[in-house]
Amino acid sequence: MSNLIKSEKNGSLAKPGMTGTFPTWSSWIDEMFNNDLPSVFKTNFNAGFSLPKVNISETDDAFTVALAAPGMKKDDFKIEIDNQVLSISSEMEQNEETESDNFTRREFGYSSFQRSFTLPESVDSEKATASYEDGILKLELPKKEEAKKKPP
């Protein structure tokens, strides 16, 4: 494998649109707006919390929804089924204060999410159950009797 760098015909390693070793004003502006924000600006936003991943599986008797949300408690979740729409949401607020002789530091954070899924008519929402263990919220959504597969 070669470690050579492709260079322009004039032998310069500068990118097109650059004069000498400095970019032109227009290429600098384009690059600034076309790239993501540097990580320095991202660190205080979103505090590392993202939309939880969900696995949905189906058996002959039920649907199972498993939502990965480590570090939470069962009481942190709000689960609703309305008009065959399952909604799982959570809001968390975190406050931290450190005091020393010379300074006081306060940090706070807020995060929330909501996931919604349209349930098939075959789900008996009155018999749905939920549990939270090892960072996984698990919902069991049993099927109505007439929707369950019967053995031949």
Side-chain angles (χ1 to χ4, degrees), residues 7 9 12 19 21 23-24 28-29 36 40-41 48 54 80 94 96 99 102-103 117 119 127 130-131 142-143 145 152:
S7 66
K9 288 185 179 183
S12 170
T19 34
T21 57
T24 61
W28 182 78
I29 294 292
D36 288 336
V40 172
F41 297 112
V54 175
E80 294 179 329
Q94 184 178 15
E96 184 179 318
E99 291 192 34
N102 301 351
F103 68 92
F117 306 94
L119 300 176
K127 295 181 181 176
S131 62
K143 292 181 181 179
E145 283 301 319

Side-chain angles (χ1 to χ4, degrees), residues 14-140:
K15 294 179 182 174
M18 297 178 80
T19 34
T21 57
F22 297 100
T24 61
W25 181 250
S26 62
S27 68
W28 182 78
I29 294 292
D30 287 343
E31 194 170 313
M32 183 175 78
F33 286 108
N34 289 332
N35 290 340
D36 288 336
L37 288 173
S39 62
V40 172
F41 297 112
K42 292 181 188 176
T43 54
N44 290 328
F45 300 117
N46 197 6
F49 194 80
S50 61
L51 202 57
K53 303 290 184 195
V54 175
N55 290 335
I56 300 174
S57 59
E58 180 182 10
T59 63
D60 291 343
D61 299 330
F63 291 91
T64 302
V65 177
L67 182 129
M72 299 180 78
K73 298 180 297 246
K74 187 177 180 180
D75 297 339
D76 292 336
F77 297 101
K78 182 179 178 185
I79 303 167
E80 294 179 329
I81 299 177
D82 186 29
N83 277 346
Q84 293 303 110
V85 175
L86 168 66
S87 295
I88 305 167
S89 61
S90 178
E91 293 182 17
M92 292 179 60
E93 188 173 339
Q94 184 178 15
N95 294 308
E96 184 179 318
E97 184 172 337
T98 305
E99 291 192 34
S100 177
D101 293 339
N102 301 351
F103 68 92
T104 299
R105 182 187 75 162
R106 292 186 184 139
E107 292 189 12
F108 62 93
Y110 178 82
S111 61
S112 66
F113 75 85
Q114 179 173 356
R115 300 289 311 256
S116 296
F117 306 94
T118 302
L119 300 176
E121 292 292 326
S122 61
V123 170
D124 187 354
S125 58
E126 299 295 319
K127 295 181 181 176
T129 60
S131 62
Y132 182 72
E133 188 177 337
D134 296 331
I136 304 292
L137 175 68
K138 189 174 183 181
L139 294 136
E140 290 291 329

